[in-house]
Amino acid sequence: IAGITQAPTSQILAAGRRMTLRCTQDMRHNAMYWYRQDLGLGLRLIHYSNTAGTTGKGEVPDGYSVSRANTDDFPLTLASAVPSQTSVYFCASSIENTGELFFGEGSRLTVL
Amino acid sequence: GQNIDQPTEMTATEGAIVQINCTYQTSGFNGLFWYQQHAGEAPTFLSYNVLDGLEEKGRFSSFLSRSKGYSYLLLKELQMKDSASYLCAVRDSNYQLIWGAGTKLIIKP
């Protein structure tokens, strides 16, 4: 693994199903983030974690949950997917909270 | 509310210069960032400004005026590979990044 890895890269999901997007980084960055990117809108922060064991809510947290059991992993869970959660999801990390983010390649999620 | 404005799309010619503007209104200011995002790919960091003035990095330069809530990204000697979206982001008083919707730059031969 080099950098930040997301899985799956693409997924079609039925509404009401539970889904976990995985994110792993090997850069030992303390801060990690989940964003969603929708056409015509800027990246919107869903949840973040400044360090292992802590998480915080971003701009659009409803319907999503995260955990940060260790430095490397930051999974995002949709408990019961809805069509409005159709989006491209990016995981990112940074050294502390510097603003220079390193992004994963994204997970394209379609909820039908 | 917090707002980042940048043009939706711009077109320029290979070899030319283009300036992409960004204006912002945020609760606090702790730096302005520019990212490049090629279609279907992840954003990558380009530049960071926290003080007024111009920061130059090769063919790319970024300017900031905090009093005007304004920044621009200047791309010189445009190449076809510069065709991408350019995202402006401001770090607010909570040290969270607020993102503009991005400017899609189309380079024509």
Side-chain angles (χ1 to χ4, degrees):
Chain A
I1 298 176
I4 186 163
T5 303
Q6 292 183 230
T9 55
S10 181
Q11 182 75 44
I12 299 173
L13 187 67
R17 298 297 296 268
R18 181 184 180 88
M19 177 72 194
T20 295
L21 303 179
R22 300 182 298 278
C23 176
T24 299
Q25 54 107 356
D26 65 354
M27 297 176 284
R28 309 303 294 172
H29 287 170
N30 283 327
M32 296 189 75
Y33 313 85
W34 274 105
Y35 286 95
R36 60 178 289 174
Q37 187 174 42
D38 301 290
L39 195 63
L41 298 177
L43 288 162
R44 291 183 292 170
L45 183 65
I46 304 170
H47 285 286
Y48 66 94
S49 170
N50 288 328
T51 190
T54 69
T55 62
K57 294 181 179 180
E59 179 185 357
V60 288
D62 294 344
Y64 306 95
S65 64
V66 292
S67 62
R68 187 88 184 276
N70 56 60
T71 297
D72 298 345
D73 301 302
F74 191 45
L76 176 74
T77 297
L78 289 68
S80 179
V82 295
S84 62
Q85 292 177 312
T86 293
S87 187
V88 179
Y89 291 86
F90 285 102
C91 181
S93 69
S94 69
I95 301 171
E96 302 301 334
N97 195 2
T98 61
E100 181 178 348
L101 271 57
F102 296 82
F103 285 85
E105 290 304 306
S107 297
R108 181 174 295 276
L109 183 66
T110 302
V111 182
L112 301 176
Chain B
Q2 308 202 91
N3 197 49
I4 311 285
D5 285 320
Q6 48 181 135
T8 302
E9 187 175 296
M10 299 181 70
T11 302
T13 304
E14 189 177 16
I17 299 173
V18 70
Q19 177 176 310
I20 302 173
N21 295 326
C22 171
T23 57
Y24 63 89
Q25 290 179 309
T26 56
S27 54
F29 178 85
N30 285 294
L32 186 141
F33 300 79
W34 285 96
Y35 281 75
Q36 180 189 59
Q37 185 177 23
H38 286 100
E41 298 183 7
T44 56
F45 171 80
L46 283 179
S47 69
Y48 167 63
N49 295 70
V50 67
L51 300 176
D52 290 351
L54 189 68
E55 293 283 341
E56 296 186 80
K57 190 184 293 186
R59 293 188 299 114
F60 292 7
S61 302
S62 56
F63 172 82
L64 174 67
S65 169
R66 289 172 295 171
S67 62
K68 295 182 179 178
Y70 168 70
S71 172
Y72 66 73
L73 181 69
L74 190 71
L75 291 73
K76 304 176 185 176
E77 302 169 13
L78 285 169
Q79 302 175 10
M80 297 303 293
K81 68 178 182 179
D82 298 329
S83 292
S85 288
Y86 292 86
L87 314 181
C88 175
V90 172
R91 189 164 56 182
D92 68 9
S93 56
N94 294 320
Y95 280 79
Q96 294 297 344
L97 286 175
I98 309 301
W99 296 81
T103 299
K104 182 178 180 181
L105 178 63
I106 300 167
I107 310 296
K108 295 186 175 181

